[in-house]
Amino acid sequence: MGCDSFVVLADSTADGSVIFGKNSDRHPNEPQAIEVHDAADHADGDLLQCTHIRIPQAAHTYKILISRPVWAWGAEMGVNEMGLAVGNEALFCNEAPPQEPSHLTGLDFVRLLLERCESTASAVNLLVELLEAHGQGGNH
């Protein structure tokens, strides 16, 4: 099983809009919550509880619309007030992921990028920073 995503850029739509779509090939009985989280400012030194670990909170987070499995803090997909859309994709490999819950999950990365980034360039940079600082683990 895997996920499929697509994007249609503005120069390919009649009205100049961008279309993003993604399916989530998760268990049919696993509910997804559709949520809006408002933009917020956070105090210096605040910590953020992700799915398994706590990390430093950003000074400001953007308003987001996400779809997430109810058991996870992170998101399968979403969009923020800046127009950034992010979705996760499952990639299977031969190396087993760390099983201890001491890393960010792929779903955590999606939500963190939406909350903290205003562009694809800033999202790529933050993703690298988060991977280097916290690693990725789990099966999600």
Side-chain angles (χ1 to χ4, degrees):
M1 288 177 48
C3 299
D4 299 301
S5 298
F6 71 90
V7 64
V8 181
L9 299 176
D11 62 350
S12 296
T13 60
D15 65 357
S17 61
V18 175
I19 302 169
F20 170 77
K22 178 188 177 307
N23 76 326
S24 177
D25 291 340
R26 303 195 70 85
H27 191 278
N29 292 323
E30 180 182 80
Q32 294 273 319
I34 308 299
E35 301 172 339
V36 173
H37 296 272
D38 289 328
D41 293 317
H42 306 279
D44 189 39
D46 279 356
L47 293 176
L48 173 65
Q49 179 64 53
C50 298
T51 301
H52 298 302
I53 65 171
R54 292 167 60 105
I55 66 170
Q57 177 61 282
H60 178 78
T61 52
Y62 294 110
K63 184 176 184 177
I64 61 172
L65 168 64
I66 60 170
S67 174
R68 68 174 184 85
V70 295
W71 59 264
W73 175 84
E76 282 277 344
M77 65 198 97
V79 63
N80 70 15
E81 67 181 287
M82 305 304 289
L84 177 67
V86 180
N88 79 315
E89 297 291 330
L91 298 175
F92 301 97
C93 64
N94 293 327
E95 186 175 321
Q99 294 303 306
E100 71 281 355
S102 61
H103 304 283
L104 292 170
T105 67
L107 301 177
D108 291 340
F109 289 116
V110 171
R111 183 166 174 173
L112 289 165
L113 297 178
L114 290 168
E115 287 187 342
R116 299 177 178 200
C117 298
E118 60 187 37
S119 68
T120 54
S122 63
V124 169
N125 290 334
L126 180 60
L127 181 59
V128 171
E129 289 174 23
L130 290 169
L131 280 166
E132 288 175 346
H134 307 288
Q136 180 178 356
N139 292 321
H140 310 285

